[in-house]
Amino acid sequence: QVQLVESGGGLVQAGDSLRLSCAASGRTFRQYTTGWFRQAPGKEREFVAAINYSNSTNYAHSVWGRFTISRDNAKNTVYLQMNSLKPEDTAAYYCAADAHAVSNRVPSSGYDYWGQGTQVTVSS
């Protein structure tokens, strides 16, 4: 069993930066594909970014060039660095881990573990 705990959310202004963290339990976390998703009120959950065991990354078009996903295996943590934030980035952000995937292109339904989420609010 893997537990994921997100942190780093908050209220910022447009153009600011935030770094989200997803801390995981479990020694094999470094082998998992880990993704970030977000869900705004009244909208469906959407993919943001993912990273696989070999640090290959994948991003949604809407965040390309602004967000960077990375992992620190020594700390069992995956990060989402978010720069140039926009009001439309406002959402609850969730990290998820897939224990079986090797790809960084995993649909949300394929993830085995989910965190509780952290809120990001960007004011204009």
Side-chain angles (χ1 to χ4, degrees):
Q1 187 74 11
V2 173
Q3 291 186 327
L4 305 176
V5 179
E6 301 99 332
S7 62
L11 171 63
V12 297
Q13 293 185 331
D16 286 350
S17 298
L18 277 176
R19 188 177 77 162
L20 305 184
S21 300
C22 174
S25 62
R27 291 176 293 177
T28 57
F29 179 68
R30 65 184 62 196
Q31 301 172 6
Y32 297 175
T33 289
T34 302
W36 285 96
F37 293 80
R38 66 187 182 186
Q39 187 167 20
K43 295 186 177 181
E44 294 188 354
R45 183 171 56 195
E46 65 173 357
F47 168 76
V48 176
I51 186 168
N52 75 349
Y53 71 99
S54 65
N55 291 329
S56 177
T57 58
N58 181 31
Y59 297 93
H61 179 75
S62 59
V63 306
W64 185 267
R66 299 188 298 123
F67 290 12
T68 302
I69 189 171
S70 62
R71 69 191 315 155
D72 184 337
N73 290 332
K75 296 182 178 180
N76 255 17
T77 300
V78 169
Y79 302 99
L80 185 68
Q81 177 67 42
M82 306 186 295
N83 298 329
S84 302
L85 283 162
K86 304 175 181 180
E88 50 264 44
D89 295 318
T90 294
Y93 283 71
Y94 301 88
C95 71
D98 184 334
H100 308 289
V102 294
S103 167
N104 57 27
R105 299 180 181 275
V106 179
S108 61
S109 59
Y111 284 88
D112 303 299
Y113 307 102
W114 289 83
Q116 82 290 348
T118 186
Q119 179 67 36
V120 173
T121 303
V122 185
S123 64
S124 58

